Amino acid sequence: MTDIAANLEDVKSRIAKRAKNWGQDADKVTLVAVSKKQPVEKLQAALDAGHRVFGENRVQEAKEKWPALCDAYEGVELHLIGPLQTNKAKEAVALFDVIETVDRPKLARILSEEMKKQDRNLPVYIQINIGAEDQKAGIAIEDADDFISQCQNEYGLTVKGLMCIPPAGEQPSPFFAILAQIAERNGLEHLSMGMSGDYEYAVQFGATSVRVGTGIFGAREG
Ligand SMILES: *Cc1c(COP(=O)(O)O)cnc(C)c1O
């Protein structure tokens, strides 16, 4: 089996090295281990190695895997990193600790209503469609400033920062730099950016959260 403890250490040391070389603070970078489509034994291996922050992209799959693990291990922090349909908002608010994919007003409104109902004020990230790709989720760059303030002021959401997935096959750094710019002008401190193939670049550009799946757990099932 993949040596998950070793992979976690390797990713963390790469983050630390890149941060140090580029004047970033490695202590401010959270490693979100993306556990979608990974077998429970691998998640247990990461938990046994002391890791606690995980990312899942589907509510249904997370619901099947995580409640038992959250009972067995203390202090798990679960991030939703995939698109969220409004009819799943209730379950998402109940299950997750951070929602990284707020990308449209209707979702922001429904999440805010659910959080009030459940008395769970979850931090959220606004997902930006940083490559202006038709098929990708995320609010358009030109609408980002208005949407961020709408989420904060109209819906009362605790906007922690911004999240993006750069276009596949392109050098990601310019997209990371633009995300950092949008965050800065909106007074947001947190940037969720970088995956297995590009998290070191993301750290270089100020990521405070990187989402690494295959780099920790190996290839996904299915
Ligand atoms: C799957 C996924 C990741 C992790 O991708 P890897 O290439 O396996 O590291 C990160 N972010 C999002 C939004 C994802 O859906």
Side-chain angles (χ1 to χ4, degrees):
M1 191 166 110
T2 323
D3 190 343
I4 285 157
N7 290 348
L8 279 165
E9 283 315 306
D10 179 61
V11 172
K12 280 190 250 176
S13 74
R14 285 167 187 271
I15 291 169
K17 187 167 178 214
R18 188 62 71 106
K20 183 162 182 278
N21 287 348
W22 293 89
Q24 306 287 356
D25 185 353
D27 293 340
K28 288 192 178 150
V29 184
T30 299
L31 173 58
V32 178
V34 177
S35 48
K36 67 185 186 198
K37 291 189 180 158
Q38 299 287 358
V40 168
E41 308 83 75
K42 289 190 174 183
L43 314 193
Q44 281 167 332
L47 287 157
D48 287 336
H51 199 77
R52 288 296 181 268
V53 187
F54 294 86
E56 287 283 348
N57 71 334
R58 287 165 162 266
V59 176
Q60 187 55 40
E61 187 188 337
K63 240 178 81 179
E64 285 159 19
K65 294 193 301 202
W66 280 100
L69 290 169
C70 291
D71 283 344
Y73 295 85
E74 211 152 318
V76 171
E77 181 180 306
L78 213 50
H79 292 225
L80 178 65
I81 61 168
L84 179 58
Q85 294 168 328
T86 48
N87 63 2
K88 297 268 172 68
K90 181 178 174 180
E91 288 173 300
V93 168
L95 180 64
F96 287 92
D97 301 293
V98 180
I99 297 193
E100 297 206 12
T101 48
V102 179
D103 64 352
R104 57 198 190 280
K106 186 180 175 195
L107 177 62
R109 175 173 59 76
I110 290 177
L111 279 173
S112 139
E113 289 167 6
E114 265 315 318
M115 288 185 203
K116 284 190 193 100
K117 267 190 219 158
Q118 298 185 33
D119 196 19
R120 273 174 69 76
N121 183 19
L122 308 188
V124 304
Y125 287 78
I126 307 294
Q127 183 175 359
I128 310 285
N129 186 355
I130 205 74
E133 295 174 281
D134 288 339
Q135 78 282 14
K136 270 228 181 97
I139 192 93
I141 292 175
E142 68 265 30
D143 299 328
D145 296 357
D146 286 344
F147 183 57
I148 292 164
S149 76
Q150 184 184 31
C151 285
Q152 293 170 319
N153 303 321
E154 191 174 332
Y155 300 123
L157 292 174
T158 302
V159 179
K160 191 168 178 194
L162 304 180
M163 178 271 206
C164 79
I165 309 169
E170 288 189 53
Q171 164 54 241
S173 300
F175 300 100
F176 295 152
I178 292 170
L179 195 74
Q181 246 177 37
I182 301 169
E184 169 141 38
R185 71 168 179 252
N186 285 282
L188 298 173
E189 264 180 55
H190 292 271
L191 296 168
S192 172
M193 56 190 196
M195 320 195 336
S196 293
D198 56 17
Y199 68 89
E200 287 162 283
Y201 286 115
V203 168
Q204 191 173 329
F205 282 85
T208 58
S209 189
V210 295
R211 309 177 307 266
V212 180
T214 50
I216 295 169
F217 297 109
R220 281 182 278 274
E221 297 176 330

